Each structure stands twice: as structure tokens, then as C-alpha cells.
């Protein structure tokens, strides 16, 4: 008998909403846009640092909101706040409205991060399909990155006509996505459906306690966040001043960003297949080594051909992210899933709050290539010890 799927409609709704939220037309030009309004790289770094600290502060509380009152409600709130940010960012640079928009630009993500992955996993689990978690997580990431790629090409073209439309149209897409999210059917969050929901603070305490007591969960949270953080700063932020510095035209930059996203889409979509041939710790070790080498070469040999290495820097997190997340989901209970996953996002965002200002100030002072070299050093010094610790924790687990 075919298996009855009560929540299958959630998958395409969540994927469609994510595609719209990820249609960020500003992605290839946001640094150029801000510089055009008189904001220096150092000022952008300070703004990013403060914005990511606000986001990190909100991350775990918003995850607990998703666990207590529902994943779709949390994602919808995030979508509305993000749409508002897109319109406010068009105000005069460094004005109160602009600063509010800049703060919401990042912090709105806190309502969705953790909640979206938890919603996807619990939807699959409710229909008895949790064995597809790695596959569907990879597809989810691929759709997100694919939308980024499409937005990169379209956004670069729109920017040549009116750069402010890149933000306005992204805000409209977010409003449509919010409407779709509200049609999702919330799946069960508890293995025992007769169990009572914990209060907000008790749920938060339970989630933090799980992460603190279990070494394998703790180190996976740290490793997942680390694998995403510094590579993101390189291909998302430093790529723009690096490309302009080596003489790449702005119009071509959109194509480069689209190429980066296409590469990551393929990696995310096919990530689950890699575990058929290699153990996850082995895949992680190879990926971390490749990222370090690529970043070092970008820093040592600045040129237009070297920009191709940015594809590698972006590919590895796209490959490892879904696999590490699927492993983490296997180790944590549904009732605290969104909160625990938000802990990883918190670590990621604190890392960005430190790395963004540090590397942008470095790029202002010594150039983007040298800043990427600094990123490679920090990444190696952080990821390698965490990888070793994780392998040990997995062996002890069984």
C-alpha cells in the first residue's frame, strides 16, 4: 500500500517561500550600493558587526518562539520584518530609518533560521520519511542558493537601470513568501503527542542543557557554524572589492556571483550522495583542507583568473552544510529542535559579528587579497581542532 502523506504539501510551500525569500536582487551590488552612498568599507564593517550581534542576541529566543508557538509563525514574522528592512534601507544613508532597516536586514533572519530546518525535518518525520532528511535538506539549500544565483544576474542588470529597485523588489517577494508560509500545515513537534508543551523559558533551558551535556551535539553546532562563517565573508563580501580591485567590470560581477551560486546549488543538491562513498568526517576533512588552500591562493595570487577559486570557497560549505545539519537533526529531540538549531545560528552570527568588521577593516587598510589570506588563517586555526574533536566524540558515541 502506498504511504499516506498528510504533510507533503508543506515541502513545496516551504521550498517556494524560501525561493522567494532568497530572491535577493541586491546580493551582487550591496557593498557597491552602500559605497555609492558614501559609506566606507570600515563603516560597513561596523554596521555589519552591530547588526550581526543583534541577530545573534535574537537567535535562540526566536528559536524558542518557534518551538513554543509554531515554526510557520516564526518564519512569517521574519518575512514581514525582512520586507520592512528592504524598504527602510533606501532611506538616507546613516539616518535613523536607514539604521533601523540595517538592523532588521540581518535580525529578521533569526526568526526563520532553525525554524525552517525544524519545520522541514518534522514534516518528513510526521510522514515517516525522516530517512530523506539529508536529501531534502540538500534540495532546500540548493533552491535557496539557486534563487541567489538567479537574483545575482537579474539584480546586476536591474542595478544598471535603478539600483534601488534591487531592494524594493526583494521586499515585495518577501511579502508574497510570507503569505505562502501562512498556508503551511504545522506538523507535530513531539514524539509523544500527549506530552504537554514546556513554557518558553523551560523549553529554552532544556534545549541549552542538551547542547551543553552532549559533547557530540556541542561540537557539531560549533563545526557547522564555523564551516559557514569565514567562507561566507569571502564569497559574499570580500569578493566585491577583490573583483573591482583586479579590474573586473561590475556588470560581469553579477555573472561571477551567479556562477558561485550555481556551483553551490549543484553541491547542495547532490550532497547526500557523497555519504554513499565516504564517511562524513572524511568528507568534512577534505572539504576544510580544500577551502584553506583556495583562500590562500586567492590571497597570494590576486587576479581575474584567481576569482574562479571563489567557486571552491563557496562550494564546500554548500556540500558540508546539509550533511552536518542532517547528522545534528538525528541527535536532537523534536520538541527542542528549532531552539538547538538556533544555537548554531547564534554561533554563526557571533562569528560574523567579529569576522565582518575585522576583515572589512583589513580590506580597507591592506587590500581585499590580504584580508582573504587572514580569513584562511583564522579558518584553519578554528575548523581543524573542531574537526578532530568531533571525530573523537563520534567514536565515543558508538
Amino acid at each position: 500500500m502506498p504511504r499516506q502523506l498528510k504533510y507533503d504539501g508543506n515541502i513545496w510551500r516551504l521550498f517556494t517561500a524560501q525561493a522567494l525569500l532568497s530572491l535577493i536582487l541586491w546580493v551582487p551590488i550591496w557593498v557597491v550600493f552602500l559605497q555609492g552612498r558614501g559609506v566606507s568599507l570600515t563603516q560597513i564593517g561596523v554596521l555589519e558587526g552591530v547588526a550581526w550581534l543583534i541577530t545573534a542576541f535574537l537567535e535562540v529566543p526566536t528559536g524558542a518562539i518557534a518551538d513554543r508557538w509554531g515554526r510557520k509563525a516564526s518564519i512569517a514574522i521574519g518575512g514581514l520584518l525582512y520586507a520592512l528592512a528592504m524598504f527602510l534601507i533606501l532611506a538616507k544613508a546613516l539616518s535613523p530609518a536607514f539604521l533601523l532597516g540595517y538592523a532588521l536586514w540581518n535580525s529578521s533572519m533569526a526568526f526563520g533560521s532553525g525554524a525552517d530546518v525544524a519545520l522541514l525535518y518534522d514534516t518528513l518525520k510526521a510522514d515517516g520519511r525522516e530517512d530523506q532528511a539529508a536529501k531534502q535538506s540538500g534540495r532546500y539549500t540548493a533552491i535557496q542558493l539557486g534563487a541567489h544565483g538567479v537574483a545575482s544576474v537579474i539584480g546586476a542588470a536591474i542595478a544598471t537601470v535603478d539600483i534601488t529597485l534591487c531592494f524594493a523588489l526583494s521586499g515585495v517577494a518577501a511579502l508574497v513568501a510570507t503569505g505562502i508560509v501562512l498556508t503551511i500545515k504545522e506538523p507535530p513537534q513531539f514524539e509523544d503527542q500527549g506530552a504537554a508543551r514546556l513554557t518558553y523559558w523551560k523549553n529554552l533551558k532544556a534545549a541549552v542543557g542538551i547542547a551543553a551535556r552532549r559533547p557530540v551535539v556541542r561540537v557539531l553546532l560549533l563545526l557547522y557554524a564555523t564551516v559557514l562563517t569565514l567562507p561566507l565573508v569571502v564569497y559574499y563580501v570580500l569578493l566585491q572589492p577583490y573583483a573591482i580591485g583586479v579590474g573586473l567590470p561590475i556588470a560581469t560581477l553579477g555573472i561571477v556571483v551567479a556562477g558561485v551560486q550555481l556551483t553551490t546549488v549543484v553541491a547542495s543538491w547532490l550532497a547526500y550522495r557523497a555519504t554513499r562513498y565516504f564517511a562524513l568526517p572524511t568528507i568534512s576533512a577534505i572539504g576544510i583542507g580544500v577551502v584553506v588552500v583556495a583562500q590562500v591562493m586567492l590571497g597570494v595570487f590576486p587576479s581575474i583568473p584567481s576569482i574562479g577559486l571563489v567557486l571552491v570557497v563557496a562550494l564546500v560549505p554548500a556540500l558540508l552544510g546539509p550533511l552536518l545539519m542532517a547528522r545534528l537533526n538525528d541527535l536532537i529531540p523534536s520538541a527542542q529542535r528549532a531552539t538547538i538549531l538556533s544555537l548554531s545560528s547564534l554561533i554563526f552570527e557571533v562569528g560574523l559579528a567579529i569576522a565582518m568588521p575585522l576583515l572589512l577593516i583589513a580590506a580597507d587598510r591592506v587590500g581585499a587579497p590580504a584580508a582573504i589570506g587572514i580569513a584562511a588563517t583564522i579558518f584553519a586555526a578554528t575548523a581543524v581542532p573542531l574537526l578532530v574533536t568531533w571525530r573523537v566524540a563520534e567514536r565515543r558515541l558508538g
Side-chain angles (χ1 to χ4, degrees):
M1 292 289 293
R3 184 164 41 187
Q4 185 178 7
L5 303 178
K6 295 181 179 180
Y7 299 92
D8 193 46
N10 285 1
I11 303 296
W12 72 261
R13 287 180 173 87
L14 182 61
F15 284 8
T16 302
Q18 185 56 59
L20 289 168
L21 287 169
S22 299
L23 198 65
I24 47 179
L25 300 170
W26 45 263
V27 70
I29 51 83
W30 71 277
V31 175
V32 177
F33 168 78
L34 293 174
Q35 287 183 298
R37 293 200 159 195
V39 186
S40 69
L41 287 177
T42 297
Q43 288 174 320
I44 294 172
V46 173
L47 287 170
E48 284 291 304
V50 173
W52 283 113
L53 279 177
I54 294 171
T55 307
F57 177 79
L58 292 173
E59 191 64 57
V60 174
T62 54
I65 287 171
D67 279 332
R68 180 66 181 86
W69 289 290
R71 283 79 153 103
K72 77 173 185 181
S74 187
I75 298 169
I77 292 170
L80 287 173
L81 292 177
Y82 172 71
L84 178 61
M86 290 296 95
F87 299 121
L88 289 175
I89 208 71
L90 298 177
K92 183 180 178 181
L94 304 182
S95 67
F98 173 90
L99 294 175
L100 174 60
Y102 209 105
L104 291 175
W105 194 353
N106 287 339
S107 61
S108 60
M109 301 176 188
F111 288 88
S113 66
D116 55 353
V117 177
L119 178 60
L120 176 60
Y121 189 87
D122 286 335
T123 291
L124 293 170
K125 189 171 185 179
D127 284 335
R129 296 191 293 161
E130 59 265 45
D131 59 317
Q132 298 180 20
K135 179 180 180 179
Q136 296 293 357
S137 180
R139 288 179 174 178
Y140 183 70
T141 303
I143 288 170
Q144 179 184 46
L145 297 174
H148 288 175
V150 171
S152 298
V153 177
I154 298 175
I158 291 174
T160 62
V161 178
D162 184 351
I163 201 167
T164 62
L165 283 175
C166 294
F167 295 89
L169 293 176
S170 295
V172 172
L175 291 176
V176 176
T178 300
I180 294 173
V181 167
L182 291 174
T183 67
I184 288 175
K185 182 180 180 181
E186 193 84 35
Q189 295 178 215
F190 300 89
E191 284 82 359
D192 177 7
Q193 292 306 307
R197 287 176 179 260
L198 296 177
T199 65
Y200 173 87
W201 291 110
K202 287 183 177 179
N203 192 64
L204 184 60
K205 182 179 179 180
V208 173
I210 291 168
R213 290 191 305 269
R214 302 191 64 187
V216 68
V217 172
R218 185 170 63 248
V219 74
L220 262 176
L221 287 169
L222 291 168
L223 181 61
Y224 175 78
T226 300
V227 165
L228 298 186
T229 304
L230 285 164
L232 176 69
V233 178
V234 172
Y235 70 79
Y236 176 67
V237 182
L238 294 179
L239 169 61
Q240 293 181 42
Y242 183 96
I244 299 301
V246 298
L248 190 73
I250 292 178
T252 309
L253 185 56
I255 298 174
V256 172
V257 175
V260 169
Q261 300 299 348
L262 177 61
T263 303
T264 55
V265 166
V266 175
S268 299
W269 196 275
L270 301 177
Y272 74 98
R273 297 186 180 182
T275 56
R276 298 176 183 175
Y277 308 102
F278 302 100
L280 180 53
T282 302
I283 298 170
S284 302
I286 295 171
I288 288 169
V290 168
V291 168
V292 172
V293 172
Q295 288 179 332
V296 168
M297 293 183 69
L298 275 164
V300 175
F301 304 107
S303 63
I304 290 179
S306 292
I307 292 175
L309 292 168
V310 175
L311 299 176
V312 177
V313 176
L315 182 149
V316 171
L319 175 68
L320 293 182
L323 300 180
L324 293 174
M325 183 57 66
R327 177 57 182 152
L328 187 58
N329 269 308
D330 288 339
L331 297 169
I332 57 180
S334 292
Q336 285 81 40
R337 191 178 311 284
T339 310
I340 294 173
L341 296 181
S342 290
L343 288 172
S344 184
S345 296
L346 182 150
I347 299 164
F348 166 69
E349 287 149 8
V350 169
L352 286 179
I354 297 170
M356 285 272 199
L358 172 66
L359 295 174
L360 279 167
I361 291 171
D364 229 0
R365 302 290 175 82
V366 297
I372 292 176
I374 294 170
T377 303
I378 298 172
F379 180 74
T382 307
V384 173
L386 285 173
L387 177 65
V388 173
T389 305
W390 172 47
R391 292 177 75 113
V392 172
E394 287 282 1
R395 291 193 192 102
R396 289 177 178 172
L397 194 61

